[in-house]
Amino acid sequence: MVKITGFEKLIYKNMGPYKIEEEYGVALTAYLSEFKKNFPSSFVDLVQMELSKKSTDRLSLGKVYLFLSLDQNKPQSLPTKNQIAVRLDILFILCDYLDDILDGDSVIALPKNELLINAMSLLFISIGELCELTKNYLDTSKILFFLTESVNGERFDFYSTLSEDSSAEVYFSKMLQKSTPLVQLVFYLACPDNELIWKDCVQNLSTAFQLQNDALDCMDTSKSDLVLFKETLPFIKALEYARINTDKRFLTIIEHRITDEDSLAFLAFYMEKCGAVEYCLRAASLYFEEAFQILKNNSNISVEVFTLLKSYLKE
């Protein structure tokens, strides 16, 4: 049984006879029918599992796109919008897979090479389909620009590691380039004429998402953030604290890149104890509020709709 949130019930009301889960489900069923014909069952099952999570406890930016596009006078029919929404969710799933492969995260359910070749193949197919679905009202180069910026951010993330030069300034200028363009793509497709929404609002929203993600990952010893000493904000703030207080164990682990189980557990404990994790979560809350203020002041949505959208994005 798919859990229907208050947010989605409200979208039902705003879409008149259309229901987001039903209409999105029709587009998804059609998509999966073709998908299953062209990809191995092991990969299909993996993608379907991720799509299922987006129907229950994971954020679906495809559905956020549908909501944001309700008041936009675009030439596409609702079925076309649902096809776009499905491709956006697929795109985000594939980018997460590629990120996991690059980071060497142990959560990958398929052999790395098998996942890589299938994810890359489907990624290019999805980009082509997205360009085709939006060609009548958007410049394809804009879509490719957002995707290119995301790849550049991923490249920086791949090479990033904690060092003497690490700083919050570097983190905010480089690391966030990985996640922001993809979210900008979603909001741009929905409201391309409103730069305050797809640029300024999303900049703050993506920053909040990334800070939350980094705060959670630095507490998980199986994630690459700890194992690879990633240049994330929790690590940067903890390093600042350790230098001020001359905490030799933390500094020694960092200097010699010690990755045994006890050392990684200590790093996670230290980042929570010194307040680095709390710092990131508080910063995320501030960025969320700034994003929502921009959205509230620059979009034509009711107070009730805004409140539910805000709740959905922060879940």
Side-chain angles (χ1 to χ4, degrees):
M1 179 69 177
V2 175
K3 179 179 71 175
I4 306 300
T5 65
F7 169 79
E8 289 170 335
K9 289 178 181 177
L10 190 65
I11 294 181
Y12 293 174
K13 178 180 176 182
N14 279 272
M15 294 179 77
Y18 298 102
K19 296 182 179 181
I20 188 171
E21 286 293 340
E22 292 180 9
E23 294 298 323
Y24 178 91
V26 170
L28 181 58
T29 298
Y31 177 87
L32 290 175
S33 177
E34 290 301 313
F35 176 38
K36 292 175 182 177
K37 295 176 183 177
N38 299 300
F39 286 87
S41 60
S42 55
F43 182 63
V44 170
D45 291 343
L46 192 64
V47 172
Q48 283 188 295
M49 181 180 67
E50 293 299 324
L51 287 168
S52 176
K53 291 177 183 177
K54 289 183 179 294
S55 295
T56 53
D57 60 349
R58 294 276 182 90
L59 176 68
S60 165
L61 284 168
K63 292 174 186 175
V64 170
Y65 156 79
L66 286 174
F67 174 76
L68 289 169
S69 66
L70 287 177
D71 294 329
Q72 307 299 318
N73 296 317
K74 296 295 177 296
Q76 323 102 301
S77 63
L78 185 65
T80 300
K81 288 184 178 181
N82 277 291
Q83 291 178 57
I84 292 172
V86 169
R87 269 66 180 183
L88 287 172
D89 278 338
I90 292 293
L91 193 66
F92 272 81
I93 289 171
L94 296 174
C95 288
D96 282 344
Y97 288 159
L98 294 175
D99 184 63
D100 287 342
I101 292 171
L102 289 171
D103 287 342
D105 284 336
S106 59
V107 296
I108 299 173
L110 290 178
K112 182 175 70 173
N113 288 342
E114 180 182 355
L115 181 59
L116 179 62
I117 190 62
N118 284 291
M120 288 298 295
S121 176
L122 184 57
L123 179 64
F124 281 107
I125 291 171
S126 300
I127 292 171
E129 291 175 340
L130 197 58
C131 291
E132 181 66 23
L133 288 165
T134 59
K135 67 180 182 180
N136 291 331
Y137 78 101
L138 285 181
D139 183 353
T140 298
S141 64
K142 194 68 174 179
I143 296 175
L144 297 178
F145 168 78
F146 288 126
L147 295 172
T148 301
E149 286 296 292
S150 179
V151 171
N152 287 335
E154 192 70 61
R155 182 159 49 86
F156 172 81
D157 180 37
F158 179 78
Y159 288 108
S160 75
T161 186
L162 207 62
S163 70
E164 291 292 328
D165 298 325
S166 296
S167 67
E169 289 74 22
V170 172
Y171 173 85
F172 282 107
S173 65
K174 298 292 186 180
M175 181 65 75
L176 297 173
Q177 186 181 2
K178 179 178 72 171
S179 57
T180 299
L182 290 178
V183 184
Q184 282 185 322
L185 173 61
V186 173
F187 281 63
Y188 177 77
L189 290 176
C191 39
D193 300 324
N194 194 336
E195 187 169 320
L196 283 170
I197 299 297
W198 67 257
K199 185 176 181 180
D200 296 357
C201 172
V202 171
Q203 183 68 53
N204 286 281
L205 190 62
S206 297
T207 301
F209 285 151
Q210 189 64 51
L211 287 169
Q212 279 190 333
N213 185 67
D214 288 347
L216 292 173
D217 284 355
C218 78
M219 301 299 294
D220 186 347
T221 56
S222 70
K223 300 290 286 187
S224 64
D225 284 22
L226 284 178
V227 178
L228 300 178
F229 297 88
K230 286 285 187 179
E231 195 175 27
T232 63
L233 194 59
F235 245 140
I236 291 169
K237 302 308 291 187
L239 183 58
E240 290 176 0
Y241 183 88
R243 285 170 175 164
I244 292 171
N245 293 277
T246 319
D247 291 319
K248 292 184 179 179
R249 185 179 180 187
F250 184 90
L251 294 173
T252 298
I253 293 172
I254 297 298
E255 181 182 357
H256 298 287
R257 296 296 194 261
I258 303 171
T259 58
D260 63 85
E261 186 175 339
D262 288 342
S263 295
L264 292 179
F266 174 77
L267 290 178
F269 166 78
Y270 189 88
M271 280 189 271
E272 183 174 25
K273 179 185 175 182
C274 76
V277 173
E278 181 65 21
Y279 177 91
C280 289
L281 293 176
R282 287 178 179 268
S285 294
L286 293 175
Y287 278 105
F288 269 128
E289 291 308 314
E290 180 64 22
F292 296 137
Q293 193 62 45
I294 295 172
L295 181 62
K296 182 179 181 179
N297 293 339
N298 297 280
S299 61
N300 299 318
I301 55 177
S302 68
V303 173
E304 184 183 16
V305 173
F306 169 77
T307 301
L308 286 169
L309 177 57
K310 179 179 178 179
S311 175
Y312 181 71
L313 287 170
K314 288 187 72 174
E315 283 180 355

